[in-house]
Amino acid sequence: LSAYDDLIENSQRRIKILESMARALYREWFVHFRFPGHENHPRVASPLGEIPEGWEVRRLEGLCLSIQDGDWIETKDQGGQDFRLLQISNVGVGEFVETGNFRYVTEQTFKRLRCTELSPGDLLVARMPDPIGRAWLVTKMPWRMITAVDVAIIRADPMAIQPSFLAQAWNEGANLQRVAAQASGTTRLRITRRQLAAMDFIVPPVPMQQRFTEITQPQHSAIEALRRKVQTLRRTRDLLLPRLLSGQIALGELEVA
Protein backbone atom coordinates (compact mmCIF):
# COMPACT_ATOMS: atom_id res chain seq x y z
CA LEU A 1 0.00 0.00 0.00
CA SER A 2 3.02 2.30 -0.11
CA ALA A 3 1.86 3.54 -3.53
CA TYR A 4 -1.25 4.98 -1.88
CA ASP A 5 0.82 6.54 0.90
CA ASP A 6 3.16 8.12 -1.67
CA LEU A 7 0.24 9.65 -3.58
CA ILE A 8 -1.28 11.00 -0.34
CA GLU A 9 2.04 12.51 0.74
CA ASN A 10 2.64 14.07 -2.68
CA SER A 11 -0.85 15.62 -2.71
CA GLN A 12 -0.35 17.02 0.78
CA ARG A 13 2.96 18.59 -0.27
CA ARG A 14 1.24 20.22 -3.24
CA ILE A 15 -1.51 21.55 -0.95
CA LYS A 16 1.06 23.17 1.34
CA ILE A 17 2.82 24.81 -1.61
CA LEU A 18 -0.45 26.21 -3.00
CA GLU A 19 -1.49 27.45 0.45
CA SER A 20 1.86 29.15 0.95
CA MET A 21 1.52 30.89 -2.43
CA ALA A 22 -1.87 32.38 -1.54
CA ARG A 23 -0.65 33.32 1.93
CA ALA A 24 2.46 34.99 0.54
CA LEU A 25 0.45 37.10 -1.89
CA TYR A 26 -1.97 38.13 0.87
CA ARG A 27 0.87 39.23 3.12
CA GLU A 28 2.63 41.09 0.31
CA TRP A 29 -0.50 43.08 -0.60
CA PHE A 30 -2.39 43.43 2.67
CA VAL A 31 0.20 43.18 5.45
CA HIS A 32 3.27 44.80 3.88
CA PHE A 33 1.05 46.97 1.60
CA ARG A 34 3.17 46.25 -1.49
CA PHE A 35 0.19 45.88 -3.81
CA PRO A 36 0.25 47.00 -7.48
CA GLY A 37 0.35 50.80 -7.53
CA HIS A 38 1.16 51.12 -3.84
CA GLU A 39 3.59 53.94 -4.65
CA ASN A 40 0.60 56.20 -5.39
CA HIS A 41 -1.10 55.54 -2.02
CA PRO A 42 0.46 57.44 0.90
CA ARG A 43 -0.01 55.98 4.38
CA VAL A 44 -2.51 57.47 6.81
CA ALA A 45 -3.08 56.84 10.52
CA SER A 46 -5.71 54.32 11.68
CA PRO A 47 -6.65 52.48 14.90
CA LEU A 48 -4.57 49.54 13.62
CA GLY A 49 -1.54 51.57 12.60
CA GLU A 50 -0.71 53.21 9.30
CA ILE A 51 -2.67 51.99 6.29
CA PRO A 52 -2.77 53.07 2.65
CA GLU A 53 -4.95 56.06 1.83
CA GLY A 54 -8.40 54.91 0.70
CA TRP A 55 -8.40 51.84 2.92
CA GLU A 56 -10.57 51.54 6.03
CA VAL A 57 -10.62 49.95 9.47
CA ARG A 58 -14.09 48.52 10.10
CA ARG A 59 -15.77 46.30 12.65
CA LEU A 60 -16.75 42.84 11.46
CA GLU A 61 -20.43 43.45 12.18
CA GLY A 62 -20.39 46.32 9.66
CA LEU A 63 -18.99 44.07 6.93
CA CYS A 64 -21.50 41.23 7.23
CA LEU A 65 -25.09 40.47 6.39
CA SER A 66 -25.33 38.34 9.54
CA ILE A 67 -23.27 36.82 12.34
CA GLN A 68 -24.98 34.04 14.26
CA ASP A 69 -24.26 30.89 16.20
CA GLY A 70 -24.95 27.42 14.93
CA ASP A 71 -27.86 25.35 16.22
CA TRP A 72 -28.32 23.64 19.57
CA ILE A 73 -29.01 20.04 18.57
CA GLU A 74 -29.44 17.56 21.41
CA THR A 75 -28.71 13.86 20.97
CA LYS A 76 -32.43 13.06 21.08
CA ASP A 77 -32.98 15.32 18.05
CA GLN A 78 -30.40 13.58 15.87
CA GLY A 79 -31.24 10.96 13.29
CA GLY A 80 -32.21 10.51 9.67
CA GLN A 81 -30.01 11.68 6.82
CA ASP A 82 -31.50 14.93 5.54
CA PHE A 83 -29.06 17.48 7.00
CA ARG A 84 -25.55 16.69 8.18
CA LEU A 85 -24.66 18.29 11.51
CA LEU A 86 -21.11 19.64 11.32
CA GLN A 87 -19.22 19.56 14.60
CA ILE A 88 -16.59 22.01 15.82
CA SER A 89 -13.99 19.33 15.03
CA ASN A 90 -14.93 19.55 11.34
CA VAL A 91 -13.67 23.16 11.19
CA GLY A 92 -9.95 23.38 10.48
CA VAL A 93 -7.68 26.29 9.66
CA GLY A 94 -8.96 27.05 6.19
CA GLU A 95 -10.22 23.53 5.58
CA PHE A 96 -12.99 21.04 6.24
CA VAL A 97 -11.74 18.20 8.45
CA GLU A 98 -13.46 14.86 7.91
CA THR A 99 -13.55 13.08 11.26
CA GLY A 100 -15.82 10.24 10.18
CA ASN A 101 -18.31 11.22 12.91
CA PHE A 102 -21.46 11.52 10.80
CA ARG A 103 -24.46 13.06 12.55
CA TYR A 104 -27.70 14.10 10.90
CA VAL A 105 -31.11 15.60 11.55
CA THR A 106 -34.32 15.06 9.63
CA GLU A 107 -36.14 17.68 7.58
CA GLN A 108 -38.86 17.75 10.25
CA THR A 109 -36.33 18.43 13.02
CA PHE A 110 -34.65 21.09 10.87
CA LYS A 111 -37.96 22.94 10.52
CA ARG A 112 -39.08 22.39 14.11
CA LEU A 113 -35.86 23.79 15.58
CA ARG A 114 -35.63 26.52 12.92
CA CYS A 115 -32.10 25.55 12.02
CA THR A 116 -29.85 27.55 9.71
CA GLU A 117 -28.80 25.76 6.53
CA LEU A 118 -25.21 26.42 5.50
CA SER A 119 -24.41 27.73 2.03
CA PRO A 120 -21.17 27.98 0.02
CA GLY A 121 -19.51 31.25 0.96
CA ASP A 122 -20.48 31.09 4.65
CA LEU A 123 -17.48 31.44 6.98
CA LEU A 124 -17.60 28.99 9.89
CA VAL A 125 -15.60 30.11 12.93
CA ALA A 126 -14.81 27.66 15.72
CA ARG A 127 -15.36 29.58 18.96
CA MET A 128 -13.39 27.05 21.01
CA PRO A 129 -9.76 25.83 20.73
CA ASP A 130 -7.55 24.59 19.34
CA PRO A 131 -6.64 26.97 17.75
CA ILE A 132 -9.52 29.11 18.87
CA GLY A 133 -11.10 31.18 16.11
CA ARG A 134 -9.98 28.96 13.21
CA ALA A 135 -12.26 29.28 10.20
CA TRP A 136 -13.37 27.40 7.09
CA LEU A 137 -15.09 28.97 4.08
CA VAL A 138 -17.94 26.61 3.19
CA THR A 139 -17.67 25.01 -0.24
CA LYS A 140 -20.12 22.77 -2.09
CA MET A 141 -20.37 19.45 -0.26
CA PRO A 142 -22.27 16.18 -0.85
CA TRP A 143 -24.81 17.01 1.87
CA ARG A 144 -27.16 19.74 3.02
CA MET A 145 -25.62 21.02 6.24
CA ILE A 146 -26.16 22.74 9.57
CA THR A 147 -23.60 23.30 12.31
CA ALA A 148 -23.30 23.11 16.08
CA VAL A 149 -23.81 25.98 18.50
CA ASP A 150 -20.09 26.50 19.26
CA VAL A 151 -19.50 27.45 15.62
CA ALA A 152 -20.26 30.98 14.45
CA ILE A 153 -21.75 31.45 10.98
CA ILE A 154 -20.55 34.63 9.29
CA ARG A 155 -22.18 35.79 6.06
CA ALA A 156 -20.11 38.54 4.48
CA ASP A 157 -21.63 41.43 2.59
CA PRO A 158 -19.88 41.16 -0.81
CA MET A 159 -20.42 44.87 -1.36
CA ALA A 160 -18.11 45.48 1.62
CA ILE A 161 -15.83 42.43 1.79
CA GLN A 162 -15.33 39.40 -0.42
CA PRO A 163 -15.92 36.08 1.43
CA SER A 164 -12.69 34.52 0.12
CA PHE A 165 -10.69 37.60 1.13
CA LEU A 166 -12.25 37.53 4.60
CA ALA A 167 -11.41 33.83 4.96
CA GLN A 168 -7.78 34.44 4.01
CA ALA A 169 -7.51 37.39 6.39
CA TRP A 170 -9.25 35.51 9.18
CA ASN A 171 -6.83 32.58 9.27
CA GLU A 172 -3.73 34.78 9.29
CA GLY A 173 -1.62 34.02 12.34
CA ALA A 174 -1.81 37.60 13.64
CA ASN A 175 -5.61 37.57 13.48
CA LEU A 176 -5.92 34.20 15.21
CA GLN A 177 -3.71 35.61 17.96
CA ARG A 178 -6.09 38.56 18.32
CA VAL A 179 -9.01 36.17 18.64
CA ALA A 180 -7.19 34.03 21.22
CA ALA A 181 -6.34 37.12 23.27
CA GLN A 182 -10.06 37.83 23.77
CA ALA A 183 -11.03 34.29 24.74
CA SER A 184 -12.20 33.60 28.27
CA GLY A 185 -13.67 30.76 30.31
CA THR A 186 -13.08 28.76 33.47
CA THR A 187 -12.97 25.21 32.09
CA ARG A 188 -12.50 25.78 28.35
CA LEU A 189 -11.52 28.99 26.60
CA ARG A 190 -13.97 30.31 24.05
CA ILE A 191 -14.84 33.56 22.31
CA THR A 192 -18.37 34.93 22.13
CA ARG A 193 -20.24 35.91 19.00
CA ARG A 194 -20.41 39.50 20.24
CA GLN A 195 -16.63 39.62 20.65
CA LEU A 196 -16.21 38.34 17.10
CA ALA A 197 -18.64 40.96 15.79
CA ALA A 198 -16.65 43.75 17.47
CA MET A 199 -13.30 42.79 15.91
CA ASP A 200 -11.64 45.39 13.67
CA PHE A 201 -10.27 44.57 10.22
CA ILE A 202 -8.19 46.51 7.73
CA VAL A 203 -10.34 46.60 4.60
CA PRO A 204 -8.92 47.49 1.17
CA PRO A 205 -11.18 48.68 -1.66
CA VAL A 206 -13.48 45.94 -3.02
CA PRO A 207 -11.91 45.98 -6.53
CA MET A 208 -8.55 45.12 -4.97
CA GLN A 209 -10.15 42.31 -2.97
CA GLN A 210 -11.74 41.01 -6.17
CA ARG A 211 -8.40 41.11 -7.97
CA PHE A 212 -6.80 39.12 -5.14
CA THR A 213 -9.65 36.58 -5.34
CA GLU A 214 -9.25 36.23 -9.12
CA ILE A 215 -5.53 35.50 -8.75
CA THR A 216 -5.86 33.01 -5.89
CA GLN A 217 -9.08 31.24 -6.96
CA PRO A 218 -7.29 28.71 -9.21
CA GLN A 219 -5.01 27.83 -6.30
CA HIS A 220 -7.94 27.32 -3.93
CA SER A 221 -9.77 25.20 -6.52
CA ALA A 222 -6.67 23.03 -6.93
CA ILE A 223 -6.39 22.70 -3.15
CA GLU A 224 -10.00 21.52 -2.85
CA ALA A 225 -9.48 18.99 -5.65
CA LEU A 226 -6.33 17.66 -3.99
CA ARG A 227 -8.07 17.36 -0.61
CA ARG A 228 -10.87 15.34 -2.21
CA LYS A 229 -8.25 13.14 -3.84
CA VAL A 230 -6.52 12.57 -0.49
CA GLN A 231 -9.83 11.58 1.14
CA THR A 232 -10.59 9.14 -1.68
CA LEU A 233 -7.11 7.60 -1.49
CA ARG A 234 -7.36 7.18 2.28
CA ARG A 235 -10.79 5.57 2.07
CA THR A 236 -9.60 3.19 -0.65
CA ARG A 237 -6.43 2.30 1.26
CA ASP A 238 -8.36 1.66 4.47
CA LEU A 239 -10.87 -0.52 2.65
CA LEU A 240 -8.16 -2.53 0.90
CA LEU A 241 -5.97 -3.21 3.92
CA PRO A 242 -8.22 -5.73 5.73
CA ARG A 243 -9.06 -7.45 2.43
CA LEU A 244 -5.38 -7.82 1.59
CA LEU A 245 -4.63 -9.21 5.03
CA SER A 246 -7.50 -11.68 4.78
CA GLY A 247 -6.50 -12.79 1.29
CA GLN A 248 -9.76 -11.60 -0.31
CA ILE A 249 -7.72 -9.52 -2.79
CA ALA A 250 -4.42 -10.63 -4.32
CA LEU A 251 -1.61 -8.09 -4.66
CA GLY A 252 -1.56 -8.59 -8.42
CA GLU A 253 -5.15 -7.35 -8.69
CA LEU A 254 -4.33 -3.86 -7.36
CA GLU A 255 -3.82 -0.86 -9.58
CA VAL A 256 -3.33 2.65 -8.23
CA ALA A 257 -4.50 5.51 -10.45
Side-chain angles (χ1 to χ4, degrees):
L1 299 179
S2 62
Y4 283 89
D5 293 330
D6 290 343
L7 283 171
I8 290 170
E9 184 179 352
N10 181 57
S11 296
Q12 290 174 329
R13 281 199 302 266
R14 293 172 63 189
I15 288 171
K16 289 182 179 179
I17 291 171
L18 290 166
E19 287 177 334
S20 67
M21 291 170 61
R23 189 164 52 248
L25 182 64
Y26 174 87
R27 291 176 178 173
E28 182 73 4
W29 283 21
F30 306 114
V31 176
H32 302 301
F33 305 132
R34 292 193 290 260
F35 52 89
H38 67 91
E39 302 90 347
N40 302 320
H41 291 75
R43 305 283 180 87
V44 296
S46 83
L48 294 180
E50 289 192 342
I51 60 175
E53 189 176 43
W55 295 30
E56 299 179 283
V57 172
R58 298 182 59 180
R59 287 163 66 107
L60 180 66
E61 60 188 353
L63 299 169
C64 299
L65 300 174
S66 65
I67 304 173
Q68 62 187 99
D69 289 333
D71 300 301
W72 183 270
I73 308 295
E74 298 184 62
T75 303
K76 64 181 179 62
D77 294 316
Q78 297 176 25
Q81 288 196 341
D82 295 326
F83 290 86
R84 182 171 177 183
L85 173 61
L86 301 188
Q87 304 295 302
I88 196 168
S89 55
N90 293 126
V91 180
V93 181
E95 66 175 321
F96 173 80
V97 179
E98 183 55 86
T99 63
N101 183 12
F102 291 85
R103 301 186 185 188
Y104 291 87
V105 300
T106 63
E107 180 92 30
Q108 292 77 12
T109 299
F110 174 87
K111 292 179 178 178
R112 175 171 58 84
L113 298 179
R114 298 181 180 180
C115 298
T116 299
E117 182 174 2
L118 303 178
S119 302
D122 289 345
L123 187 68
L124 302 189
V125 177
R127 298 194 295 104
M128 295 172 61
D130 190 31
I132 191 168
R134 64 193 183 278
W136 169 58
L137 187 66
V138 176
T139 57
K140 184 174 177 57
M141 300 294 276
W143 332 274
R144 299 178 73 181
M145 299 174 291
I146 61 175
T147 191
V149 69
D150 283 320
V151 178
I153 307 168
I154 298 175
R155 290 183 170 162
D157 179 358
M159 299 300 291
I161 193 165
Q162 296 288 293
S164 56
F165 172 80
L166 176 60
Q168 187 74 49
W170 195 280
N171 284 314
E172 274 294 303
N175 186 65
L176 291 178
Q177 289 175 6
R178 287 201 298 151
V179 174
Q182 299 185 56
S184 60
T186 54
T187 55
R188 297 188 68 182
L189 290 176
R190 70 181 68 213
I191 188 168
T192 67
R193 177 168 45 86
R194 289 185 179 181
Q195 288 172 315
L196 292 175
M199 289 187 62
D200 288 330
F201 282 87
I202 297 175
V203 184
V206 171
M208 188 178 296
Q209 299 177 37
Q210 292 172 333
R211 179 59 180 150
F212 173 78
T213 299
E214 290 169 0
I215 294 173
T216 57
Q217 186 56 52
Q219 297 164 7
H220 290 302
S221 297
I223 288 170
E224 288 300 318
L226 285 167
R227 283 178 175 152
R228 288 194 295 270
K229 180 179 180 180
V230 167
Q231 290 177 2
T232 300
L233 287 167
R234 282 176 171 162
R235 282 196 300 267
T236 305
R237 180 194 61 189
D238 294 343
L239 285 171
L240 285 173
L241 183 58
R243 297 183 183 183
L244 285 167
L245 292 175
S246 65
Q248 292 177 324
I249 300 178
L251 288 175
E253 297 175 11
L254 289 180
E255 181 179 348
V256 181

